[in-house]
Amino acid sequence: DGSIDKENVPKTTAGAPTLLPLDLTLPEFRLVDSTGGEFGSRELARRPYLVNFIFTRCQLTCPEQTRRMVAFQQQLARKIQHQHSSEERGGPKHFLWDQLQIVSLSVDPENDTPDALARYADNYGAKLENWSFLTGKKSEIFSLITDGFKLPVAEVGKDQPIVHTVKVALVDHRWHLRGVFNGMKEEGGRKLMLAIEQVLNERVVIPPQIVSPDWLEKRAATQISAAKRWKAFHDFRFTDRQPESGIGF
């Protein structure tokens, strides 16, 4: 029925649900973003991300869901700015928040064309640098929501609103669903932020100045150029002295 089996949710030693109760592998997916380009698992590889579920014609929860996600994106921008201005280098929280992506998945893909999603994002002030609005085939999207995210979605009638969840899903860098949080309540938002921090800190972080320092390419070019002027020489030989050494092992 698309619901999460609560009996399989891990518990803490005290018996209460953990902050990250799930560890479910998500199926790969290939959809279309608001630019008209393909977007899916490949673009999200090795990045944690949030997913909420909306449609542009929705007049009930979707406007508030999107406003709250815009506020979260603004909070995220402040965290990224602080992170990059920090003097800490190589610490456990260095260059982490800028890895997080946001995804809004339309549950009404027949009406939510890329152009419609682009207008919707612009109307709410969403920044598309780290936020993607996705559409595609309805059967694929509904299957991803119910079979992958284990969340409900249904079309109950032609003139009726599409029934969908207000939950926000948190996915880690391994494509594993780690938790769903109530995106319409302050307590849900607080738990989500704590869960995001935990997921980000599970990653092994290597600062970019170590992975690809600014001076590395210039140094390599200098060494390669200098190597062309070197001439390797040797004047030695090997002699087998084992037989006369008496060593027999």
Side-chain angles (χ1 to χ4, degrees):
D1 61 359
S3 61
I4 295 169
D5 184 359
K6 294 183 179 178
E7 292 184 358
N8 293 328
V9 172
K11 299 291 194 321
T12 64
T13 54
T18 65
L19 190 60
L20 295 172
L22 304 175
D23 196 14
L24 305 175
T25 303
L26 289 173
E28 293 189 21
F29 61 91
R30 202 90 191 125
L31 299 171
V32 177
D33 67 14
S34 58
T35 70
E38 290 189 349
F39 190 96
S41 305
R42 188 182 308 162
E43 288 71 25
L44 293 165
R46 296 180 296 279
R47 289 180 176 271
Y49 59 96
L50 304 180
V51 185
N52 73 347
F53 308 90
I54 53 96
F55 63 105
T56 62
R57 297 185 302 149
C58 173
Q59 299 298 316
L60 298 175
T61 63
C62 299
E64 182 62 18
Q65 284 180 259
T66 305
R67 281 191 289 267
R68 285 176 177 265
M69 193 62 81
V70 168
F72 170 80
Q73 187 182 44
Q74 293 168 349
Q75 183 181 6
L76 178 61
R78 291 191 293 271
K79 285 183 175 291
I80 293 172
Q81 184 179 18
H82 173 73
Q83 166 188 297
H84 283 269
S85 63
S86 172
E87 293 182 357
E88 179 188 12
R89 291 294 179 265
K93 293 186 177 180
H94 185 63
F95 290 109
L96 284 173
W97 288 100
D98 56 1
Q99 297 294 304
L100 187 67
Q101 301 290 302
I102 304 171
V103 173
S104 285
L105 184 57
S106 171
V107 298
D108 184 22
E110 293 175 349
N111 291 289
D112 285 344
T113 63
D115 286 343
L117 289 175
R119 289 192 300 271
Y120 183 84
D122 184 63
N123 288 340
Y124 282 92
K127 308 298 183 186
L128 300 182
E129 292 83 358
N130 58 353
W131 189 347
S132 298
F133 290 78
L134 302 185
T135 186
K137 293 182 179 179
K138 186 172 87 170
S139 59
E140 293 179 2
I141 290 175
F142 276 37
S143 176
L144 177 62
I145 295 171
T146 57
D147 299 333
F149 289 99
K150 309 297 183 185
L151 293 170
V153 62
E155 204 168 26
V156 295
K158 183 177 180 181
D159 298 322
Q160 299 295 319
I162 298 170
V163 176
H164 65 96
T165 183
V166 299
K167 298 290 182 68
V168 177
L170 173 59
V171 182
D172 68 17
H173 62 284
R174 305 170 301 152
W175 291 343
H176 284 203
L177 175 64
R178 302 300 299 278
V180 291
F181 303 84
N182 192 327
M184 299 291 283
K185 292 188 178 295
E186 296 300 325
E187 179 65 10
R190 186 187 67 80
K191 290 180 178 179
L192 175 59
M193 288 300 296
L194 293 173
I196 292 170
E197 287 189 3
Q198 191 168 326
V199 163
L200 292 177
N201 286 333
E202 288 177 353
R203 299 203 59 184
V204 176
V205 181
I206 303 176
Q209 65 267 30
I210 294 178
V211 176
S212 182
D214 296 337
W215 51 264
L216 187 59
E217 290 188 7
K218 184 177 179 180
R219 174 76 63 84
T222 301
Q223 291 179 342
I224 292 172
S225 177
K228 296 177 181 179
R229 301 192 297 271
W230 298 341
K231 292 184 179 180
F233 66 91
H234 66 86
D235 186 20
F236 61 88
R237 63 182 181 176
F238 293 101
T239 302
D240 184 5
R241 299 290 189 185
Q242 188 274 329
E244 60 190 70
S245 70
I247 298 175
F249 57 87

